Amino acid sequence: MKPMSVSGALIVDTATLYFRAYHGLPRSLVNAAGEPVNALHGLLDMLANLLTGYPPAELVCAWDDDWRPAWRVALIDSYKAHRLAGEAGEPLDDELARQVPWIRASLAAAGICVAAAAGFEADDVVATLAERYLDRGLPVIVVSGDRDLFQMVRPGIRVAYIARGVANHVLVDDAWLTARYRISGGQYVDFAVLRGDPSDGLPGVAGIGEQTAAGLLASYGDLAGIQAAAKNPQTRLTPRVRAALLANADYLARAVQVVRAAKVPLGELDARVEAGRADLDRCRELAVDYSIRGPMRRLLAALGEAVG
């Protein structure tokens, strides 16, 4: 990754990285006890690459306190329901679950700020922090493989979308969204609600796919404008689309609340990236315990620590 001049904030959807590492790296990466450390190994290397490519003034790893909050399920009972069977890696299987505390311990030893909020997902933490940094005048790069965070895109906030890996990520801004979906970041929530999202268990509105949703937003601006058009017989909606929108008014109202990232209570965070924050003795200890000497060294170097 070619380094860019970035002096703002880098906010990482941590679970995206460790799921990708776990499913992308071989189980043959093990510690001295023969236990897989592929998720930990890969996450540290991904962070090192991201820090090198987008050197930030501040770094936060956002954490899922609750990957399927009850308040979202109460609104849409199918929300992430398919993942209960483990289809998308949740709940964690034993080999990955064992590595999650090791990941948390390694981040702490390296002096990296981890942020979570009780009863909320990492997406909510990311969105809250992105707005906070933007208010401070700092440019933000959000790192995630979750398209829902495209809703954060606006001047000053971009998403490093890593669905194809960190090395092949796409830096998403409004121009990219316009070219790909014909929408802006501010329209993404309404777009996702109309189109649906099987990966999150959101059914969408029957008969309204990606192209139709984008066309409706181009014509009427947002979901409120689309619903007003559906109620007005003079607008040029097809009978099928008009009927579908009217029949799904309740679903649309609930789904918007599910998809839109919530503002969460977070205290002040010390997320500075600067030498001296890492506990180097602890890092060396963990590097030996988990057989991650290379990744830990690369991460510390990317953080500016004198690793010797």
Side-chain angles (χ1 to χ4, degrees), residues 212-235:
T212 302
L216 289 169
L217 287 165
S219 296
Y220 302 107
D222 57 18
L223 186 57
I226 292 168
Q227 289 178 303
K231 295 174 184 176
N232 180 355
Q234 303 303 314
T235 53

Side-chain angles (χ1 to χ4, degrees), residues 131-284:
E131 295 283 6
R132 182 184 293 183
Y133 281 122
L134 197 61
D135 287 345
R136 285 173 47 189
L138 292 176
V140 177
I141 292 179
V142 170
V143 180
S144 183
D146 186 346
R147 291 182 299 175
D148 281 350
L149 283 170
F150 291 171
Q151 67 185 275
M152 298 309 303
V153 169
R154 66 204 64 180
I157 302 178
R158 295 174 291 172
V159 174
Y161 183 52
I162 62 168
R164 295 185 178 179
V166 169
N168 298 308
H169 75 276
V170 175
L171 195 57
V172 177
D173 56 14
D174 269 328
W176 187 93
L177 287 173
T178 299
R180 175 64 180 84
Y181 296 116
R182 295 188 295 131
I183 61 168
S184 67
Q187 294 174 311
Y188 190 82
V189 169
D190 294 347
F191 175 73
V193 165
L194 288 163
R195 177 201 60 190
D197 189 345
S199 69
D200 280 342
L202 294 173
V205 176
I208 295 183
E210 188 171 293
Q211 295 301 317
T212 302
L216 289 169
L217 287 165
S219 296
Y220 302 107
D222 57 18
L223 186 57
I226 292 168
Q227 289 178 303
K231 295 174 184 176
N232 180 355
Q234 303 303 314
T235 53
R236 299 178 62 184
L237 293 173
T238 67
R240 178 185 59 80
V241 168
R242 189 186 306 277
L245 289 168
L246 293 174
N248 284 275
D250 179 63
Y251 158 77
L252 292 169
R254 289 181 285 111
V256 164
Q257 298 176 69
V258 170
V259 176
R260 182 178 293 126
K263 186 173 183 179
V264 301
L266 290 173
E268 290 302 312
L269 303 176
D270 184 0
R272 293 168 295 161
V273 176
E274 59 186 24
R277 288 176 59 90
D279 181 340
L280 296 180
D281 289 338
R282 179 62 173 156
C283 287
R284 283 190 284 268

